[in-house]
């Protein structure tokens, strides 16, 4: 009996030495959570938060063989060198710094670090060679119409479900399966500027989706209609050795990066062993719109720009003016958002933005040597009621060229006046307030900008009225991390935005109820992606996405760069009558393509677009289905078309066919019509003379 007890004690004292794979397991959380363990592995990297070890991999790709040994103690860190094969005791824990994040599997409270050998090497997993990330979905918990953007948000949590990893199908599962491991990302390309911590998103030398012309990755639609959030992208964190990464930009190329995969600050990172090397410079030339002005009075060329908290003394105001003039080529109407009151963030009760707007148009006028003079209008908000930077009183505003377009004469509304569509004595549609806000009392506009509806005519196209609605829907503030615990992630403000879009859509319906062919343009900062069904369902069947109408390639639809993604928050939606007449749009990437984060002047890119505001007075009847072309027709008889030709041989064949058809003619038509067939035959005979011309080297084309 005693012998048995002693033997048990001996086994217990020499607890089994585990491999890292035993700790990581095949799902997100460790199967050994909170257990005291002894684990062995080779030290791959050291950082300020401890070090990383890696053991032999199993052939199960779900199971990571890397592990963070967590300690802030320099003594612990100095006890090991990269390449040491060690055993270490500690407690398995799942760490997270914020409740909305995923957890990191770690070995906490490391003790009894024993070095078994030194100078061992661990081959990094080469991304694109050994393993490649999936390109479309984050997790199979993002379910419902719209996937990642489905509502309700936060229907489940990864830490609760703790799913078995499917690294071939889902991005979060893929990166989790490499947690703590050494990886190399070959030929990385930056997808955005660095963030305020010097971290930056990249894609590697592997298959990607959504690649745009500038080298970034655009959020596009998956075949099921949900957004593709580009899970193949990964963020490069601060170098573990304390060096600093260079500043970067979309499309920047880097030398290969080797580092450790770690979930931190809400995302899967690669923490590089040392600072990555930037290989190229940014192109300093910013794009200019490809949309050319039109002299046709029916064509409206308009622009849209969220100018990011712009007030009188904003240092970026002169650049905004320069871009409107030179990069957007002075559109006839500019829909502006985030125009602040004259004193910006000073919260003194002054809400007028006349100073801001006057300075903008004066600067454009000066830059153009007084050739481009914009007029402007807005509706002052009630102080501090429309959200945005406190005291800034951001609002939407219009600037327009009075020699090109006329704001139909009327009275501007006040901040609480609700606009309505009206009918003039001559039958033309008008607005009660021009411009005026839409349903300003609606609960959906609480702490948010009210849309501004206006009615216009192009100079030279009197009576061809068109309506514009300048929008800035509520922001995504309060969203949870794309790679966080809540699935689908919390999409800040989504319900309020859905109500706002529906309110705006109802207003457009009130215009369309009086004239289903009304020309209506709604443009601005929607703060949402078209893949969000609960928001964009509100305009379905009423308004059309101009990017769709203009057939802009899906990868070039972006006005914003956030984290890894080039994405579209700014949209232009138009009524059916406008869509039927065709349209153009150009997203002018003056900010997402800037040389540096510092050089960027707004978080949004402006757009330029063109629509035809004239209703055709006498609508062209639909073209009847085209009848087969006849070489010769009499009654219901139709001789087949004669083949065209360019040489004598083709000419003779064509004439031969003409003759045989003329003979057929006699058999197919009533006797009374046979003289017509004779005429046909005479024509064939005449045409055969052309062949003679061909044969002697003369003109020999077509069938006369
Ligand atoms: C750890 O992994 C290595 C390599 O796969 C294997 O040889 C060894 O037996 C494993 N050790 C334990 C304790 O599982
Ligand atoms: C998601 O829901 C869970 C359970 O109700 C809650 O604990 C968590 O805080 C929510 N997450 C977010 C980001 O709102
Ligand atoms: C410390 O580690 C060594 C080597 O793995 C082992 O022999 C020893 O039993 C460990 N001591 C404790 C108290 O775990
Ligand atoms: C390990 O490498 C270091 C530096 O490369 C060298 O100084 C040391 O002698 C090596 N140790 C062994 C045991 O090979
Ligand atoms: C990458 O894409 C190409 C073309 O679609 C395909 O043939 C290839 O198998 C893909 N490679 C990987 C690693 O998925
Ligand atoms: C803008 O700056 C000028 C010059 O510094 C100053 O006089 C003026 O008061 C400022 N305007 C506002 C609205 O802050
Ligand atoms: C608001 O601005 C106007 C015009 O600059 C100025 O006359 C007025 O004193 C300001 N009002 C307040 C409350 O600052
Ligand atoms: C702003 O300009 C409009 C039109 O030019 C004018 O009616 C209004 O009084 C101005 N507001 C202020 C505060 O100067
Ligand atoms: C304005 O005039 C200056 C000086 O004559 C000239 O250099 C500049 O090109 C002109 N700019 C425009 C937009 O006409
Ligand atoms: C623009 O305004 C300036 C200053 O009022 C004026 O001199 C100039 O003639 C105007 N230009 C046009 C094209 O109307
Ligand atoms: C503009 O205001 C918003 C809302 O307060 C803020 O989040 C953003 O950082 C501001 N941008 C700049 C450049 O000040
Ligand atoms: C839009 O109009 C429909 C039909 O009148 C109504 O049921 C709905 O409540 C309106 N939506 C909003 C947000 O006002």
């Amino acid at each position: 009996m005693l012998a048995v007890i002693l033997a048990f004690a001996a086994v217990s004292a020499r607890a089994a030495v585990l491999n890292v794979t035993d700790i990581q397991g095949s799902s997100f959380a460790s199967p050994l959570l909170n257990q005291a363990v002894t684990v062995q592995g080779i030290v791959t990297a050291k950082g300020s938060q401890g070090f990383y070890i890696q053991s032999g991999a199993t052939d199960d790709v779900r199971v990571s063989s890397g592990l963070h040994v967590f300690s802030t103690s320099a003594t612990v860190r100095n006890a090991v060198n990269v390449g040491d094969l060690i055993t270490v005791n500690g407690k398995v824990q799942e760490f997270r710094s914020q409740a909305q994040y995923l957890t990191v599997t770690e070995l906490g409270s490391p003790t009894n670090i024993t070095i078994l050998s030194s100078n061992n090497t661990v081959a990094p997993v080469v991304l694109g060679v050994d393993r490649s990330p999936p390109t479309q979905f984050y997790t199979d918990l993002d379910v419902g119409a719209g996937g990642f953007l489905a509502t309700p948000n936060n229907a489940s949590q990864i830490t609760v479900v703790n799913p078995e990893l499917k690294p071939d199908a889902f991005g979060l599962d893929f990166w989790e399966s490499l947690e703590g491991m050494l990886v190399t990302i070959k030929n990385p390309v930056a997808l955005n500027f660095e963030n305020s911590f010097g971290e930056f998103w990249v894609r590697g030398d592997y298959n990607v989706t959504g690649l745009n012309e500038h080298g970034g990755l655009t959020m596009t639609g998956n075949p099921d209609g949900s957004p593709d959030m580009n899970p193949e992208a990964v963020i490069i964190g601060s170098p573990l050795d304390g060096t600093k990464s260079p500043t970067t930009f979309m499309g920047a190329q880097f030398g290969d990066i080797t580092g450790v995969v770690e979930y931190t600050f809400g995302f899967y990172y690669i923490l590089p062993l040392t600072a990555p090397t930037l290989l190229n410079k940014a192109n300093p030339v910013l794009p200019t719109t490809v949309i050319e002005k039109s002299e046709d009075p029916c064509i409206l060329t308009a622009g849209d720009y969220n100018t990011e908290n712009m007030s009188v003394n904003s240092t970026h105001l002169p650049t905004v003016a320069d871009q409107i003039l030179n990069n957007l080529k002075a559109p006839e109407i500019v829909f502006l958002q985030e125009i602040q009151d004259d004193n910006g963030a000073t919260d003194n009760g002054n809400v007028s933005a006349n100073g801001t707007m006057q300075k903008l148009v004066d600067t454009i006028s000066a830059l153009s040597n007084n050739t481009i003079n914009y007029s402007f209008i807005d509706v002052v908000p009630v102080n501090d009621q429309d959200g945005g930077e406190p005291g800034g009183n951001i609002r939407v505003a219009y600037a327009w060229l009075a020699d090109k377009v006329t704001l139909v004469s009327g009275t501007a509304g006040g901040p609480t006046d609700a606009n309505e569509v009206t009918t003039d004595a001559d039958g033309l549609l008008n607005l009660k307030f021009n411009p005026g806000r839409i349903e300003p009392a609606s609960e959906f506009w609480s702490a948010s900008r009210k849309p501004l509806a206006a009615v216009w005519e192009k100079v030279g196209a009197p009576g061809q009225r068109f309506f514009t609605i300048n929008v800035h829907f509520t922001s995504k503030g309060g969203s949870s991390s794309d790679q966080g615990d809540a699935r689908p992630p919390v999409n800040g403000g989504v319900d309020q935005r859905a109500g706002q879009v529906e309110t705006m859509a109802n207003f457009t319906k009130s215009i369309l109820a009086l004239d289903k062919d009304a020309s209506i343009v709604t443009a601005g900062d929607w703060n949402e992606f078209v893949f969000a069904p609960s928001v964009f369902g509100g305009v379905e069947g009423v308004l059309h996405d101009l990017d769709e109408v203009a057939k802009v390639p899906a990868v070039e639809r972006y006005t914003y760069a956030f984290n890894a993604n080039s994405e579209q928050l700014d949209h232009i939606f138009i009524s059916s009558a406008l869509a039927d007449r065709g349209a153009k749009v150009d997203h002018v990437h003056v900010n997402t393509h800037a040389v540096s984060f510092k050089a960027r002047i707004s978080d949004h890119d402006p757009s330029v677009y063109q629509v035809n505001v004239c209703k055709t007075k006498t609508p062209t009847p639909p073209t009847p289905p085209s009848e087969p072309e006849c070489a010769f027709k009499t009654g219901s008889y139709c001789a087949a078309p004669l083949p065209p030709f360019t040489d004598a041989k083709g000419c003779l064949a064509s004439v031969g066919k003409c003759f045989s058809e003329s003979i057929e003619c006699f058999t197919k038509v009533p006797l009374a019509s046979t003289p017509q067939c004779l005429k046909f035959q005479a024509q064939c005979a005449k045409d055969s003379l052309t062949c003679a011309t061909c044969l002697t080297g003369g003109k020999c084309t077509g069938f006369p």
Side-chain angles (χ1 to χ4, degrees):
M1 184 58 171
L2 187 65
V4 172
I5 288 169
L6 283 177
F8 179 73
V11 167
S12 161
R14 276 184 286 107
V17 177
L18 301 178
N19 274 339
V20 171
T21 47
D22 303 317
I23 292 172
Q24 286 286 3
S26 58
S27 50
F28 281 85
S30 171
L32 302 177
L33 181 59
N34 293 329
Q35 294 195 25
V37 296
T38 302
V39 58
Q40 91 174 16
I42 297 166
V43 177
T44 54
K46 305 204 294 182
S48 61
Q49 307 286 303
F51 58 90
Y52 297 84
I53 59 171
Q54 196 160 324
S55 65
T58 70
D59 53 13
D60 184 345
V61 293
R62 297 174 302 174
V63 182
S64 163
S65 55
L67 184 68
H68 186 172
V69 178
F70 178 80
S71 174
T72 51
S73 151
T75 316
V76 168
R77 223 166 40 238
N78 292 336
V80 297
N81 286 313
V82 170
D84 289 349
L85 173 66
I86 65 164
T87 61
V88 52
N89 295 358
K91 189 176 161 192
V92 177
Q93 57 196 36
E94 292 289 341
F95 170 77
R96 58 174 161 180
S97 59
Q98 280 191 32
Q100 58 142 325
Y101 293 165
L102 297 180
T103 63
V104 189
T105 305
E106 289 178 347
L107 188 74
S109 318
T111 56
N112 191 29
I113 294 172
T114 309
I115 297 168
L116 306 180
S117 66
S118 292
N119 291 4
N120 300 287
T121 54
V122 170
V125 171
V126 181
L127 299 175
V129 176
D130 302 319
R131 301 277 304 276
S132 292
T135 62
Q136 295 182 300
F137 302 98
Y138 273 140
T139 160
D140 65 355
L141 300 189
D142 286 349
V143 292
F148 175 89
L149 289 168
T151 46
N153 299 160
N154 194 14
S156 67
Q157 299 87 37
I158 287 177
T159 55
V160 173
V161 178
N162 192 28
E164 285 284 314
L165 302 182
K166 294 177 188 158
D168 294 335
F170 299 108
L172 298 185
D173 303 43
F174 174 82
W175 296 108
E176 175 69 19
S177 77
L178 294 170
E179 181 181 43
M181 288 176 71
L182 198 61
V183 300
T184 294
I185 188 156
K186 292 180 90 75
N187 304 318
V189 177
L191 304 173
N192 198 346
F193 304 111
E194 74 283 359
N195 65 19
S196 58
F197 304 100
E199 306 161 348
F200 59 101
W201 289 84
V202 299
R203 62 182 164 89
D205 206 346
Y206 42 71
N207 283 352
V208 297
T209 52
L211 185 62
N212 63 45
E213 274 186 7
H214 208 65
L217 293 185
T218 304
M219 182 193 301
T220 53
N222 284 316
D224 68 358
S226 68
D228 171 343
M229 302 298 292
N230 295 313
E232 63 270 39
V234 65
I235 181 166
I236 306 298
S238 299
L240 286 165
D241 65 356
T243 54
K244 288 229 170 336
S245 297
T247 61
T248 189
F249 51 90
M250 189 190 294
Q253 296 168 298
F254 283 84
D256 297 354
I257 298 172
T258 295
V260 173
V261 174
E262 169 96 317
Y263 184 90
T264 180
F265 307 118
F267 294 95
Y268 285 98
Y269 277 68
I270 293 175
L271 301 179
L273 300 180
T274 190
T277 313
L278 178 67
L279 301 180
N280 63 339
K281 281 210 171 86
N283 180 356
V285 181
L286 291 178
T288 293
T289 184
V290 296
I291 293 184
E292 291 298 335
K293 285 236 173 69
S294 171
E295 292 308 316
D296 181 343
C298 288
I299 301 296
L300 169 73
T301 306
D304 176 52
Y305 201 169
N306 179 329
T307 58
E308 197 175 13
N309 305 336
M310 189 172 74
S311 65
V312 173
N313 282 350
S314 293
T315 53
H316 69 297
L317 184 147
T319 315
V320 170
D322 179 58
Q323 290 179 349
I324 290 174
L325 179 67
N326 293 310
N327 300 79
L328 308 190
K329 297 185 186 162
E332 292 159 339
I333 304 180
V334 188
F335 293 49
L336 295 159
Q337 298 92 39
E338 291 201 21
I339 298 298
Q340 291 193 333
D341 61 32
D342 299 346
N343 54 33
T346 306
D347 197 0
N348 68 350
N350 198 340
V351 289
S352 168
N354 279 9
T356 305
M357 290 301 293
Q358 193 64 55
K359 182 138 174 211
L360 178 69
V361 305
D362 285 352
T363 309
I364 294 172
S365 186
L367 288 171
S368 69
N369 295 342
N370 293 330
T371 61
I372 303 289
N373 292 344
Y374 276 101
S375 306
F376 63 86
I377 200 159
D378 68 328
V379 167
V380 292
V382 176
N383 189 39
D384 292 342
Q385 292 306 301
D386 283 14
E389 193 173 27
N393 287 307
I394 52 170
R395 88 279 323 261
V396 303
Y398 293 104
W400 75 95
L401 298 175
D403 56 342
K404 303 286 184 194
V405 69
T406 308
L407 185 68
V408 172
S409 74
T411 311
T416 58
D417 290 326
N419 218 346
E420 281 168 35
V421 60
T422 59
T423 308
D424 287 348
D426 59 6
L428 290 177
L429 294 190
N430 206 336
L431 289 175
K432 184 173 176 189
F433 300 106
N434 198 20
R437 301 173 120 196
I438 295 174
E439 296 292 340
S442 160
E443 52 164 336
F444 291 117
W445 306 119
S446 163
S448 183
R449 283 66 55 184
K450 286 73 178 163
L452 194 57
V455 57
W456 314 78
E457 285 177 5
K458 278 292 305 280
V459 171
Q464 305 289 348
R465 290 203 175 157
F466 60 96
F467 295 85
T468 61
I469 302 175
N470 188 346
V471 304
H472 185 185
F473 297 124
T474 197
S475 86
K476 284 177 171 285
S479 293
S480 63
S481 169
D482 290 7
Q483 300 189 3
D485 197 20
R487 309 317 305 181
V490 174
N491 182 2
V494 67
D495 294 337
Q496 185 176 0
R497 244 179 340 272
Q500 294 182 340
V501 168
E502 195 181 299
T503 306
M504 189 273 298
N506 277 0
F507 186 81
T508 64
K509 283 181 195 165
S510 72
I511 301 171
L512 295 168
L514 297 178
D515 176 8
K516 68 177 174 44
D517 295 325
S519 300
I520 309 173
V521 180
T522 65
D525 178 358
W526 296 55
N527 266 316
E528 191 55 272
F529 314 116
V530 291
F531 313 103
S534 70
V535 174
F536 281 87
V539 291
E540 211 171 286
V542 187
L543 298 170
H544 306 266
D545 183 354
L546 189 41
D547 280 82
E548 281 291 314
V549 175
K551 298 190 171 61
V552 176
V555 293
E556 304 306 335
R557 296 181 191 180
Y558 63 95
T559 60
Y560 204 81
F562 183 70
N563 292 341
N565 288 326
S566 300
E567 58 193 33
Q568 191 176 9
L569 291 176
D570 305 86
H571 307 276
I572 303 127
F573 273 68
I574 57 178
S575 56
S576 299
L578 284 181
D580 288 348
R581 294 194 285 269
K584 290 180 187 171
V585 62
D586 182 22
H587 305 297
V588 190
H589 303 296
V590 292
N591 292 313
T592 55
H593 294 186
V595 286
S596 65
F597 181 77
K598 249 177 93 181
R600 182 190 95 159
I601 60 154
S602 168
D603 46 353
H604 293 254
D605 283 329
S607 302
V608 174
Y609 55 96
Q610 228 165 34
V611 289
N612 183 338
V613 300
C614 293
K615 298 182 185 184
T616 317
K617 279 284 190 301
T618 45
T620 42
T623 41
S626 59
E627 284 177 28
E629 222 184 296
C630 300
F632 174 78
K633 191 169 178 4
T634 173
S636 59
Y637 175 69
C638 171
L642 296 168
F645 55 83
T646 53
D647 58 11
K649 199 173 157 219
C651 182
L652 290 169
S654 204
V655 166
K657 189 166 165 46
C658 187
F659 276 118
S660 67
E661 289 193 340
S662 68
I663 290 160
E664 191 190 21
C665 178
F666 291 105
T667 68
K668 294 280 167 70
V669 303
L671 195 59
S673 299
T674 49
Q676 303 263 27
C677 300
L678 276 173
K679 271 173 96 178
F680 183 28
Q681 210 166 49
Q683 183 65 40
C684 302
K686 207 171 145 205
D687 291 340
S688 67
L689 295 175
T690 305
C691 303
T693 316
C694 290
L695 285 163
T696 56
K699 185 169 169 284
C700 188
T701 50
F703 195 86

